[in-house]
Amino acid sequence: MDAFLSCPDHSPAAGRSLAPARSAPASSPALISAVQDLYEFICSGPLVDRIGYSREKIAESIDRWLWCGSQVSRLFRLDELRLSDAEKSRIYHFYIPVFLWCEDQVAEHRSKYNQGSEIPPLVIGVSAPQGSGKTTLVFALDYLFRVSGRNSATLSIDDFYLTAAEQGKLRESNPGNALLEFRGNAGSHDLQFSVETLESLIKLTKEGMKMKLPRYDKSAFGGRGDRADPSVWPEVEGPTEVVLFEGWMLGFKPLPNEVVKAVDPQLEVVNKNLYAYYDAWDRFIESWIVIKIKEPNCVFQWRLQAEVAMRADGKAGMSDEEVMDFVSRYLPAYHAYLPTLYKEGPNGAKKDHLLVIDIDEERTPITGS
């Protein structure tokens, strides 16, 4: 289902910043009927209650929903008048409700400061398993922020992986541990570098202030990866109002040693490494989006679908066996840490600043427990 909204990692948002425009008046019975049908469809979405929207509030803000729908359709080169059911659901039941929730979070954050103050950006953490659609969600949110006139920046925990040389040292110091043989699990990130980057980014509060955001090249060294050359890092300019920080293991909490050993003995060192991650990342995040999946094995199916699609397009893709080997290095962490994340939320997360989105095997939002 994600294929029609696929995008490259960290694709730049297109277009200039635009002020939201009111939709055209419903001047014909056909148009009135179409807007009414869309209104009913929006109201039936599984996230409207979670973002605090009643039918009345949706009716009052319908122009905003229509404008956002038009923008997202433009972003993904879709005909907003001829959306398929899947496309309409993804836009009006997923991307727009999440964006409006984020907008409310940013507005509340900025209201705490006096007029004329230098306001640090709100950091919104997006924690979601691989293949669940978080990169495309962040891509859409970043675009909507920008065309709404808010300066935003995006980061992934992938951007802070150790360099190729440092990864080699990590492998050598953990011989036989498949979970640390490649990048991914706790211990394979440059935490000091990530802290320096996040601290600099939240200080980007004035016009003219600029900085480059690190990026990671997963194709380097035959797929083992390396930090991309700074010459290709994107530049962001202040004042920045919102930072979207995404990652598959954001918000994971270390557990008692006997718990992780029961899942996989190799997790013991990963769990020990995880203690440093709260100070490095979670403390910067004020608002959280957590995408909740039913079963970690969905990750294997989603990755397999992506690789099959790549091979069908004539691109180099992993074999089924290689996909299983790749995903198997993440599954122990999912099995160990997701139950606690879903039950307790991320470290320091407050109820009013946490949006949990249940999705099904098709990566479609559903009504959760």
Side-chain angles (χ1 to χ4, degrees):
M1 182 176 171
D2 243 12
F4 73 90
L5 293 182
S6 61
C7 67
D9 287 350
H10 305 302
S11 300
R16 297 179 179 178
S17 295
L18 303 174
R22 295 185 63 82
S23 60
S27 56
S28 72
L31 186 54
I32 292 172
S33 177
V35 172
Q36 180 65 33
D37 288 347
L38 183 58
Y39 165 74
E40 293 296 339
F41 181 80
I42 291 170
C43 290
S44 71
L47 297 183
V48 291
D49 288 339
R50 293 193 182 190
I51 67 171
Y53 272 63
S54 62
R55 290 178 65 89
E56 292 73 23
K57 188 171 182 180
I58 292 172
E60 292 169 0
S61 59
I62 192 64
D63 283 357
R64 182 68 167 165
W65 289 81
L66 295 175
W67 179 83
C68 288
S70 178
Q71 296 301 319
V72 175
S73 296
R74 178 191 304 176
L75 173 64
F76 293 112
R77 297 179 176 87
L78 301 172
D79 184 346
E80 63 179 300
L81 301 179
R82 295 178 177 82
L83 296 175
S84 69
D85 290 343
E87 292 165 349
K88 189 164 69 169
S89 178
R90 184 56 60 94
I91 291 172
Y92 289 100
H93 284 177
F94 194 4
Y95 296 153
I96 296 177
V98 175
F99 171 69
L100 295 177
W101 181 85
C102 290
E103 271 278 83
D104 289 343
Q105 294 290 305
V106 174
E108 181 181 343
H109 168 76
R110 299 186 69 80
S111 71
K112 298 174 182 177
Y113 295 84
N114 295 326
Q115 189 172 3
S117 301
E118 290 184 19
I119 305 176
L122 174 70
V123 181
I124 301 176
V126 182
S127 178
Q130 296 144 312
S132 61
K134 67 179 177 301
T135 300
T136 310
L137 171 63
V138 168
F139 178 62
L141 294 176
D142 180 55
Y143 180 79
L144 285 170
F145 274 124
R146 289 176 179 272
V147 296
S148 296
R150 291 197 190 277
N151 196 15
S152 60
T154 64
L155 279 174
S156 168
I157 66 172
D158 296 0
D159 298 321
F160 302 121
Y161 281 136
L162 297 171
T163 63
E166 291 165 336
Q167 285 180 44
K169 294 178 182 177
L170 181 67
R171 281 192 297 275
E172 292 171 4
S173 59
N174 295 274
N177 190 325
L179 304 186
L180 293 174
E181 185 177 355
F182 298 105
R183 64 180 185 270
N185 282 290
S188 64
H189 301 85
D190 187 334
L191 295 184
Q192 182 60 39
F193 177 53
S194 67
V195 168
E196 292 170 358
T197 301
L198 287 163
E199 286 180 341
S200 296
L201 190 52
I202 62 174
K203 293 176 182 176
L204 212 64
T205 57
K206 297 180 181 178
E207 284 191 29
M209 299 177 69
K210 299 179 180 179
M211 68 173 288
K212 285 193 169 187
L213 299 179
R215 292 296 184 251
Y216 192 82
D217 180 3
K218 294 181 180 179
S219 66
F221 291 93
R224 285 190 177 271
D226 197 6
R227 190 167 299 153
D229 188 275
S231 64
V232 301
W233 294 1
E235 186 174 69
V236 61
E237 183 174 352
T240 302
E241 293 189 52
V242 58
V243 175
L244 298 164
F245 185 29
E246 58 101 341
W248 73 276
M249 53 169 284
L250 274 182
F252 282 11
K253 299 175 181 177
L255 299 170
N257 206 44
E258 61 273 15
V259 174
V260 295
K261 286 181 69 176
V263 175
D264 188 328
Q266 297 180 110
L267 266 179
E268 189 172 3
V269 63
V270 172
N271 190 64
K272 184 178 180 180
N273 293 336
L274 194 57
Y275 280 92
Y277 277 63
Y278 171 74
D279 285 334
W281 293 346
D282 296 8
R283 66 183 174 92
F284 288 96
I285 300 172
E286 294 184 46
S287 298
W288 284 90
I289 298 169
V290 174
I291 296 180
K292 182 179 177 181
I293 62 175
K294 289 183 176 181
E295 168 56 49
N297 286 330
C298 287
V299 175
F300 170 69
Q301 295 299 329
W302 292 333
R303 185 73 193 203
L304 187 61
Q305 291 169 7
E307 296 298 327
V308 168
M310 286 179 63
R311 296 200 298 267
D313 288 340
K315 301 176 183 177
M318 289 188 286
S319 67
D320 293 1
E321 293 75 20
E322 288 171 330
V323 171
M324 189 61 204
D325 177 68
F326 176 81
V327 174
S328 69
R329 301 173 193 273
Y330 295 87
L331 284 178
Y334 285 135
H335 285 292
Y337 301 113
L338 283 182
T340 302
L341 176 67
Y342 296 160
K343 182 179 179 180
E344 300 178 1
N347 274 316
K350 300 176 182 177
K351 183 178 179 181
D352 291 342
H353 302 282
L354 170 63
L355 178 63
V356 178
I357 304 169
D358 294 77
I359 63 172
D360 62 16
E361 292 81 357
E362 299 299 321
R363 291 165 285 201
T364 300
I366 56 176
T367 302
S369 55

